[in-house]
Amino acid sequence: MDHAEIVRLLTCGDPAAWSDLQIRSDRVRHDRVGDEVHLRGLVEISNWCVRSCHYCGIARFNQGLSRYRLTRSEIVDAARLAQTLGYGSTVLQSGEDPQLTRGFIRDVVTEIKETTGLAVTLSLGERSRDDLEAWRSAGADRYLLRFETSNSVLYQRIHPPLRAGEPDRFELLKWVKDAGYEAGSGIMVGIPGQTVSDVATDLLLFRELDLDMIGLGPYIPHPGTPLGETGVDPGAADQVPNSEAMTLVVLALARLLCPDSNMPATTALATLNRRTGLERALQHGANVVMPDLTPQRFQSQYEIYPGRGMIPVDDVMLRHRELLSRLEAIGRRPGNGRGDSVAHLRRRDAH
Ligand code: 5AD
């Protein structure tokens, strides 16, 4: 599949072609990564952020938001909860928060690895090479950093740098790989100013970067942000819609291009369509779900987009049982073990 073919599929809007894409992506998902859905306990460890990304509700300019940072024992307890629920891994995610020091994260990772044996994924923003290496040495297994869009003009517009000459996210992803992590990245679909051609380039980049994990969700405008206030102009030439349908087509194409990567049914998709967004993502190539295990009282404060923290059922066990029955209803089962990326295992065995 080349760039022109991807653009054609993204723009054809032909229900038969899109349905064919869904069927093919579901088959490739089944054949290459199986019917297991790997569950990752998501712990949002801090909503402090030094960045001013124009799309994000927890950016530093959002002064209406109360800020929190979990303690070491709160984080470790949440990881234990993931283990109790039978999950194979935990994801520690935060804004870009320098108070989460190299030593603090190192100690947290060490304790989680010692007490639970879970695979640990970090998603803490743009950090130094020394931080990344130290956390990898402490036992962290995976690192997530979306590049958001490969259109560098658009990216620079919505992601102001902290200082001149800082490494870009592609450079950081290279450090992540060099340090021996499983590397994850991804994009938002439907950023104002993002064209269909941009998304086709993003998809080809997923393959070129040989990613272990690919996360993609619809861009959801946040009214407290610069981008949320200008809004998506649906009339703009070649603008990618930030719709559920478009996100699912992009996901299906990602599965065809990167058959061995792990791909979550993202919360953003499930937020757009609370009733069946999860199922539809899992039927368009996704094979991972990241249930939120952040202590309840903080969840609503991690509002990167509206509706993010609104979880209809507040009891963890109830939510867990509901998830299992939703998986079962579509013929899928929760994964056993860590759910390492097939791509990563293959690369490791080749060495
Ligand atoms: N809508 C959808 N996704 C968003 N993210 C940040 N802000 C938004 C938004 N308004 C995504 C980014 C980031 C990830 C953690 O959340 O892709 O990398």
Side-chain angles (χ1 to χ4, degrees):
M1 230 182 319
D2 62 7
H3 190 270
E5 170 71 357
I6 296 172
V7 168
R8 196 188 63 73
L9 284 165
L10 289 173
T11 47
C12 76
D14 170 9
W18 280 12
S19 149
D20 175 61
L21 208 54
Q22 184 273 322
I23 292 168
R24 280 164 58 206
S25 70
D26 200 42
R27 190 177 309 134
V28 169
R29 188 271 310 150
H30 168 84
D31 292 348
R32 302 292 284 255
V33 294
D35 286 338
E36 291 193 337
V37 175
H38 302 293
L39 305 181
R40 327 282 200 204
L42 177 63
V43 192
E44 291 146 347
I45 66 177
S46 164
N47 71 347
W48 286 94
C49 192
V50 294
R51 292 271 167 185
S52 315
C53 304
H54 289 190
Y55 46 85
C56 182
I58 69 167
R60 69 183 302 169
F61 51 70
N62 189 351
Q63 298 190 339
L65 184 68
S66 60
R67 303 282 173 168
Y68 72 90
R69 187 178 295 114
L70 300 189
T71 63
R72 173 166 162 177
S73 62
E74 285 170 329
I75 301 170
V76 174
D77 285 350
R80 286 214 183 90
L81 175 59
Q83 184 188 32
T84 306
L85 295 173
Y87 300 176
S89 65
T90 184
V91 181
L92 309 184
Q93 191 159 69
S94 69
E96 212 164 289
D97 177 5
Q99 301 286 325
L100 295 173
T101 60
R102 184 184 305 165
F104 177 79
I105 296 296
R106 185 196 55 221
D107 294 347
V108 166
V109 169
T110 305
E111 189 173 346
I112 294 176
K113 295 301 289 187
E114 275 171 3
T115 56
T116 70
L118 295 177
V120 174
T121 303
L122 300 177
S123 179
L124 309 176
E126 298 173 37
R127 301 289 304 225
S128 73
R129 190 166 194 155
D130 288 343
D131 287 347
L132 295 169
E133 287 174 353
W135 301 334
R136 175 75 190 130
S137 300
D141 301 272
R142 308 173 183 148
Y143 203 92
L144 298 174
L145 185 67
R146 290 187 182 176
F147 61 79
E148 316 293 1
T149 171
S150 57
N151 176 334
S152 57
V153 175
L154 174 60
Y155 180 73
Q156 276 162 30
R157 191 156 76 224
I158 63 177
H159 180 272
L162 283 184
R163 54 194 156 279
E166 69 186 2
D168 67 12
R169 289 193 174 187
F170 296 106
E171 172 124 30
L172 282 153
L173 283 167
K174 189 175 172 305
W175 296 350
V176 163
K177 286 201 146 192
D178 288 349
Y181 287 97
E182 284 188 35
S185 194
I187 60 164
M188 290 181 286
V189 174
I191 306 167
Q194 182 187 43
T195 67
V196 174
S197 170
D198 291 337
V199 170
T201 306
D202 297 340
L203 280 161
L204 290 169
L205 252 180
F206 292 161
R207 185 169 63 183
E208 197 178 311
L209 293 170
D210 199 11
L211 296 172
D212 299 299
M213 300 166 286
I214 299 169
L216 43 96
Y219 161 70
I220 302 177
H222 189 302
T225 60
L227 206 60
E229 271 150 24
T230 52
V232 181
D233 174 3
D238 289 338
Q239 170 67 47
V240 179
N242 60 338
S243 64
E244 183 191 11
M246 179 53 73
T247 308
L248 289 172
V249 170
V250 177
L251 179 60
L253 286 165
R255 172 56 69 198
L256 295 180
L257 287 160
C258 307
D260 293 335
S261 301
N262 284 328
M263 298 182 195
T266 54
T267 312
L269 251 177
T271 300
L272 271 197
N273 174 356
R274 287 191 186 281
R275 208 171 53 79
T276 59
L278 173 85
E279 287 82 354
R280 297 192 74 200
L282 291 171
Q283 292 168 328
H284 284 77
N287 71 323
V288 168
V289 175
M290 296 164 52
D292 195 348
L293 299 183
T294 307
Q296 193 71 36
R297 65 188 183 285
F298 298 121
Q299 285 186 10
S300 63
Q301 284 162 250
Y302 205 84
E303 201 175 57
I304 49 187
Y305 46 79
R308 174 70 178 73
M310 278 172 34
I311 281 130
V313 188
D314 58 27
D315 180 286
V316 167
M317 284 315 291
L318 264 179
R319 264 200 289 142
H320 179 62
R321 278 199 293 273
E322 187 204 310
L323 175 60
L324 294 187
S325 65
R326 287 176 75 169
L327 296 182
E328 197 183 332
I330 55 166
R332 306 284 280 276
R333 56 178 188 276
N336 277 316
R338 297 162 35 113
D340 288 312
S341 113
V342 174
H344 187 75
L345 294 175
R346 184 171 30 69
R347 220 178 299 117
R348 195 193 57 194
D349 292 346
H351 282 121

